[in-house]
Short mmCIF file of all heavy atoms in Angstrom, two decimals:
data_model
loop_
_atom_site.label_atom_id
_atom_site.label_comp_id
_atom_site.label_asym_id
_atom_site.label_seq_id
_atom_site.Cartn_x
_atom_site.Cartn_y
_atom_site.Cartn_z
N GLY L 1467 -70.68 80.04 -142.11
CA GLY L 1467 -70.59 80.06 -143.58
C GLY L 1467 -69.23 80.56 -144.04
O GLY L 1467 -69.12 81.26 -145.05
N ASN L 1470 -66.55 79.81 -147.80
CA ASN L 1470 -66.59 80.42 -149.14
C ASN L 1470 -66.93 81.91 -149.07
O ASN L 1470 -67.43 82.39 -148.06
CB ASN L 1470 -67.69 79.74 -149.99
CG ASN L 1470 -67.29 78.36 -150.43
OD1 ASN L 1470 -66.41 78.21 -151.28
ND2 ASN L 1470 -67.90 77.35 -149.85
N GLY L 1471 -66.69 82.58 -150.18
CA GLY L 1471 -67.23 83.92 -150.40
C GLY L 1471 -66.85 84.93 -149.31
O GLY L 1471 -65.69 85.04 -148.90
N ILE L 1472 -67.86 85.67 -148.85
CA ILE L 1472 -67.66 86.76 -147.89
C ILE L 1472 -67.15 86.21 -146.54
O ILE L 1472 -66.25 86.79 -145.92
CB ILE L 1472 -68.97 87.54 -147.70
CG1 ILE L 1472 -69.33 88.27 -149.01
CG2 ILE L 1472 -68.88 88.51 -146.54
CD1 ILE L 1472 -70.74 88.86 -149.04
N ASP L 1491 -68.90 75.89 -141.03
CA ASP L 1491 -69.66 75.79 -142.28
C ASP L 1491 -70.25 74.39 -142.39
O ASP L 1491 -69.86 73.48 -141.66
CB ASP L 1491 -68.74 76.05 -143.49
CG ASP L 1491 -69.49 76.56 -144.72
OD1 ASP L 1491 -70.24 75.78 -145.35
OD2 ASP L 1491 -69.33 77.74 -145.06
N LEU L 1492 -71.17 74.21 -143.32
CA LEU L 1492 -71.71 72.90 -143.70
C LEU L 1492 -70.69 72.16 -144.55
O LEU L 1492 -70.66 70.93 -144.59
CB LEU L 1492 -72.95 73.08 -144.60
CG LEU L 1492 -74.25 73.57 -143.99
CD1 LEU L 1492 -75.27 73.74 -145.12
CD2 LEU L 1492 -74.74 72.55 -142.98
N LEU L 1516 -70.81 73.13 -138.85
CA LEU L 1516 -71.96 73.78 -138.21
C LEU L 1516 -73.06 74.09 -139.21
O LEU L 1516 -72.85 74.77 -140.21
CB LEU L 1516 -71.51 75.10 -137.54
CG LEU L 1516 -72.64 75.95 -136.93
CD1 LEU L 1516 -73.35 75.20 -135.81
CD2 LEU L 1516 -72.10 77.29 -136.41
N ASP L 1517 -74.25 73.54 -138.91
CA ASP L 1517 -75.46 73.93 -139.63
C ASP L 1517 -76.18 74.92 -138.72
O ASP L 1517 -76.71 74.55 -137.67
CB ASP L 1517 -76.33 72.69 -139.89
CG ASP L 1517 -77.65 73.05 -140.55
OD1 ASP L 1517 -77.99 74.26 -140.66
OD2 ASP L 1517 -78.36 72.11 -140.95
N THR L 1518 -76.23 76.20 -139.13
CA THR L 1518 -76.76 77.25 -138.25
C THR L 1518 -78.25 77.09 -137.96
O THR L 1518 -78.78 77.71 -137.05
CB THR L 1518 -76.53 78.65 -138.86
OG1 THR L 1518 -77.19 78.70 -140.13
CG2 THR L 1518 -75.06 78.95 -139.03
N ASN L 1544 -72.90 85.08 -140.90
CA ASN L 1544 -72.71 85.26 -142.34
C ASN L 1544 -73.44 84.21 -143.18
O ASN L 1544 -73.83 84.48 -144.31
CB ASN L 1544 -71.20 85.22 -142.64
CG ASN L 1544 -70.91 85.07 -144.11
OD1 ASN L 1544 -70.98 86.02 -144.87
ND2 ASN L 1544 -70.61 83.85 -144.54
N SER L 1596 -76.80 91.34 -143.50
CA SER L 1596 -78.05 91.59 -144.19
C SER L 1596 -77.68 91.80 -145.65
O SER L 1596 -76.84 91.05 -146.19
CB SER L 1596 -78.77 92.80 -143.58
OG SER L 1596 -79.96 93.10 -144.28
N SER L 1597 -78.22 92.82 -146.31
CA SER L 1597 -77.98 92.99 -147.75
C SER L 1597 -78.61 94.32 -148.17
O SER L 1597 -79.43 94.89 -147.43
CB SER L 1597 -78.67 91.85 -148.50
OG SER L 1597 -78.69 92.10 -149.90
N TYR L 1610 -85.81 85.92 -149.79
CA TYR L 1610 -84.51 86.52 -149.44
C TYR L 1610 -84.69 87.95 -148.95
O TYR L 1610 -84.14 88.35 -147.92
CB TYR L 1610 -83.59 86.46 -150.66
CG TYR L 1610 -82.16 86.91 -150.38
CD1 TYR L 1610 -81.22 86.02 -149.86
CD2 TYR L 1610 -81.75 88.21 -150.68
CE1 TYR L 1610 -79.91 86.43 -149.62
CE2 TYR L 1610 -80.44 88.62 -150.44
CZ TYR L 1610 -79.53 87.73 -149.92
OH TYR L 1610 -78.23 88.14 -149.69
N LYS L 1614 -83.71 89.29 -145.17
CA LYS L 1614 -82.67 90.29 -144.92
C LYS L 1614 -83.26 91.54 -144.24
O LYS L 1614 -82.57 92.22 -143.48
CB LYS L 1614 -81.94 90.64 -146.22
CG LYS L 1614 -81.13 89.46 -146.78
CD LYS L 1614 -80.08 88.97 -145.79
CE LYS L 1614 -79.25 87.83 -146.34
NZ LYS L 1614 -78.24 87.34 -145.38
N PRO L 1640 -74.20 94.46 -148.00
CA PRO L 1640 -73.43 94.46 -149.24
C PRO L 1640 -74.31 94.66 -150.47
O PRO L 1640 -75.46 94.20 -150.50
CB PRO L 1640 -72.80 93.06 -149.28
CG PRO L 1640 -72.99 92.47 -147.90
CD PRO L 1640 -74.22 93.13 -147.36
N GLY L 1641 -73.75 95.34 -151.47
CA GLY L 1641 -74.31 95.27 -152.82
C GLY L 1641 -73.94 93.91 -153.39
O GLY L 1641 -73.54 93.00 -152.64
N PHE L 1642 -74.07 93.70 -154.69
CA PHE L 1642 -73.71 92.41 -155.26
C PHE L 1642 -72.20 92.19 -155.15
O PHE L 1642 -71.41 93.07 -155.52
CB PHE L 1642 -74.16 92.30 -156.72
CG PHE L 1642 -75.61 91.95 -156.85
CD1 PHE L 1642 -76.58 92.94 -156.89
CD2 PHE L 1642 -76.01 90.62 -156.89
CE1 PHE L 1642 -77.93 92.62 -156.99
CE2 PHE L 1642 -77.37 90.29 -156.98
CZ PHE L 1642 -78.33 91.29 -157.03
N ILE L 1643 -71.83 91.04 -154.61
CA ILE L 1643 -70.43 90.69 -154.42
C ILE L 1643 -70.18 89.40 -155.20
O ILE L 1643 -70.99 88.46 -155.12
CB ILE L 1643 -70.12 90.44 -152.92
CG1 ILE L 1643 -70.58 91.64 -152.05
CG2 ILE L 1643 -68.65 90.13 -152.71
CD1 ILE L 1643 -69.91 92.95 -152.35
N THR L 1645 -69.28 86.11 -155.57
CA THR L 1645 -69.02 84.93 -154.72
C THR L 1645 -69.73 83.73 -155.37
O THR L 1645 -70.52 83.91 -156.31
CB THR L 1645 -69.63 85.12 -153.32
OG1 THR L 1645 -71.07 85.16 -153.46
CG2 THR L 1645 -69.14 86.39 -152.64
N PRO L 1646 -69.49 82.51 -154.83
CA PRO L 1646 -70.22 81.35 -155.37
C PRO L 1646 -71.74 81.55 -155.39
O PRO L 1646 -72.42 81.06 -156.30
CB PRO L 1646 -69.82 80.22 -154.41
CG PRO L 1646 -68.44 80.61 -153.95
CD PRO L 1646 -68.46 82.12 -153.85
N LEU L 1647 -72.28 82.29 -154.40
CA LEU L 1647 -73.74 82.54 -154.36
C LEU L 1647 -74.20 83.30 -155.61
O LEU L 1647 -75.18 82.92 -156.26
CB LEU L 1647 -74.08 83.31 -153.08
CG LEU L 1647 -75.55 83.68 -152.80
CD1 LEU L 1647 -75.82 83.63 -151.29
CD2 LEU L 1647 -75.92 85.05 -153.33
N VAL L 1648 -73.48 84.35 -155.96
CA VAL L 1648 -73.88 85.16 -157.12
C VAL L 1648 -73.51 84.45 -158.43
O VAL L 1648 -74.25 84.54 -159.41
CB VAL L 1648 -73.24 86.58 -157.02
CG1 VAL L 1648 -73.51 87.38 -158.28
CG2 VAL L 1648 -73.82 87.31 -155.81
P1 NAI F 277 -71.74 81.85 -150.55
O1 NAI F 277 -72.85 80.98 -151.01
O2 NAI F 277 -70.64 82.14 -151.48
O3 NAI F 277 -71.14 81.24 -149.19
C1 NAI F 277 -72.02 80.96 -148.13
C2 NAI F 277 -71.46 79.85 -147.26
O4 NAI F 277 -72.46 79.55 -146.28
C3 NAI F 277 -71.17 78.55 -148.00
O5 NAI F 277 -69.87 78.09 -147.68
C4 NAI F 277 -72.26 77.59 -147.49
O6 NAI F 277 -71.80 76.25 -147.40
C5 NAI F 277 -72.55 78.15 -146.12
N1 NAI F 277 -73.88 77.78 -145.63
C6 NAI F 277 -75.06 77.73 -146.30
N2 NAI F 277 -76.03 77.31 -145.50
C7 NAI F 277 -75.48 77.11 -144.28
C8 NAI F 277 -75.98 76.67 -143.02
N3 NAI F 277 -77.27 76.33 -142.85
N4 NAI F 277 -75.12 76.59 -141.97
C9 NAI F 277 -73.82 76.93 -142.14
N5 NAI F 277 -73.28 77.33 -143.30
C10 NAI F 277 -74.12 77.41 -144.35
O7 NAI F 277 -72.44 83.21 -150.03
P2 NAI F 277 -71.85 84.71 -149.98
O8 NAI F 277 -72.19 85.39 -151.24
O9 NAI F 277 -70.47 84.71 -149.48
O10 NAI F 277 -72.84 85.34 -148.88
C11 NAI F 277 -72.53 85.40 -147.50
C12 NAI F 277 -73.60 86.22 -146.81
O11 NAI F 277 -73.63 87.54 -147.37
C13 NAI F 277 -75.01 85.67 -146.97
O12 NAI F 277 -75.73 85.88 -145.77
C14 NAI F 277 -75.57 86.50 -148.10
O13 NAI F 277 -76.96 86.55 -148.07
C15 NAI F 277 -74.94 87.84 -147.81
N6 NAI F 277 -74.90 88.72 -148.96
C16 NAI F 277 -74.26 88.35 -150.11
C17 NAI F 277 -74.24 89.19 -151.22
C18 NAI F 277 -73.58 88.82 -152.49
O14 NAI F 277 -73.80 89.53 -153.48
N7 NAI F 277 -72.77 87.79 -152.56
C19 NAI F 277 -74.92 90.49 -151.17
C20 NAI F 277 -75.54 90.79 -149.91
C21 NAI F 277 -75.52 89.93 -148.86
#
Side-chain angles (χ1 to χ4, degrees):
N1470 286 290
I1472 293 169
D1491 205 289
L1492 288 176
L1516 175 62
D1517 176 351
T1518 60
N1544 166 79
S1596 177
S1597 169
Y1610 186 84
K1614 294 301 181 181
F1642 279 89
I1643 307 298
T1645 65
L1647 181 145
V1648 173

